[in-house]
Amino acid sequence: NKIPAIENLGVTKDLNDTIDLTDNDIRVLGNFPLLRRVRSLLLANNRITRIDPQIAEFIPNLTTLVLTNNNIIEISDLEPLSECKRLQYLSLLDNPVTRKQWYRSWIIWKIPSVRVLDFKRVRDVERKEAKQLFVTAKGEPTSLATSISETVSKTFEPGEGMAAAGGANLPKSNLPTLGMSIEEQAKIRVSIIIYCHILK
């Protein structure tokens, strides 16, 4: 169906162990209700560029995350996953981020619960090497770790910055509202933004 965004998962009433949204048009991994039962998220072949900083709060028992063939660019974009304390199986194959020099080592250091990354088992020697790369003898982040965390993607997503109640942060228009509600006006603005984004 080429779903553009994750929404309305509250209707599942947290009855599923796995949510499969493979082969859609999703751009942000977020907008989840609290789903304590979910263990696996399958989102291969989407257009995800960003991960909600609060994902661990809403899916606290996540153990498997498949993000194969998405658009995550910078290592720091993966920072929210460091709060997923039960995450064991992670796939980011065919994302631009996998071509970054310290990608695998950073994940092994930052998400110590991960046992299999991109279908390769994490070895103890990799854990030791990652710790040496990113932690000083005093237990503080190295300059490399700091540099990576400060490198942020410059990506814009349609609708980003809108207030949850209906787009209050969008620029105001002088055009007549034709009796439309604030929510209806916000939907039209979002549609225009998306259309302009596609034309680029």
Side-chain angles (χ1 to χ4, degrees):
N1 295 324
K2 292 299 177 187
I3 298 167
I6 296 169
E7 55 188 1
N8 300 324
L9 287 181
V11 299
T12 66
K13 298 182 180 178
D14 197 14
L15 296 175
N16 301 304
D17 296 323
T18 300
I19 294 177
D20 188 348
L21 292 168
T22 302
D23 297 320
N24 279 290
D25 203 24
I26 295 165
R27 312 224 176 166
V28 178
L29 181 59
N31 198 31
F32 292 100
L34 178 60
L35 298 170
R36 294 185 186 279
R37 186 167 174 179
V38 170
R39 301 288 190 275
S40 301
L41 287 178
L42 310 178
L43 290 120
N45 305 326
N46 276 277
R47 298 173 68 183
I48 293 168
T49 59
R50 198 159 52 85
I51 300 171
D52 185 341
Q54 296 179 303
I55 187 169
E57 295 178 31
F58 294 103
I59 310 181
N61 296 308
L62 183 65
T63 58
T64 300
L65 178 59
V66 177
L67 292 172
T68 302
N69 193 27
N70 277 277
N71 293 324
I72 296 172
I73 296 171
E74 297 293 344
I75 295 175
S76 62
D77 296 335
L78 301 170
E79 186 81 39
L81 297 182
S82 66
E83 298 300 319
C84 296
K85 305 302 184 186
R86 297 172 186 244
L87 186 60
Q88 297 181 35
Y89 305 95
L90 176 62
S91 175
L92 289 153
L93 290 170
D94 297 324
N95 279 262
V97 69
T98 61
R99 296 191 287 272
K100 298 288 182 178
Q101 184 175 6
W102 310 110
Y103 154 75
R104 185 173 173 90
S105 296
W106 187 92
I107 287 183
I108 291 169
W109 166 63
K110 202 71 174 179
I111 317 173
S113 59
V114 169
R115 294 168 52 196
V116 178
L117 174 58
D118 297 337
F119 301 101
K120 289 184 182 177
R121 185 169 291 279
V122 175
R123 295 173 293 131
D124 288 340
V125 66
E126 290 181 293
R127 294 192 191 281
K128 291 176 184 174
E129 290 171 355
K131 189 173 181 180
Q132 290 172 351
L133 275 173
F134 300 116
V135 183
T136 67
K138 295 181 179 179
E140 298 172 351
T142 62
S143 56
L144 175 60
T146 302
S147 172
I148 289 172
S149 67
E150 290 175 350
T151 305
V152 182
S153 291
K154 297 180 175 66
T155 55
F156 166 77
E157 293 304 329
E160 193 168 28
M162 292 188 305
N169 292 341
L170 287 172
K172 302 292 183 186
S173 170
N174 293 324
L175 295 173
T177 63
L178 303 176
M180 290 185 288
S181 69
I182 292 173
E183 288 79 12
E184 290 170 328
Q185 294 172 46
K187 285 180 182 177
I188 290 173
R189 289 192 193 109
V190 171
S191 297
I192 291 169
I193 291 170
I194 292 172
Y195 180 70
C196 292
H197 190 67
I198 291 171
L199 287 180
K200 289 180 183 177

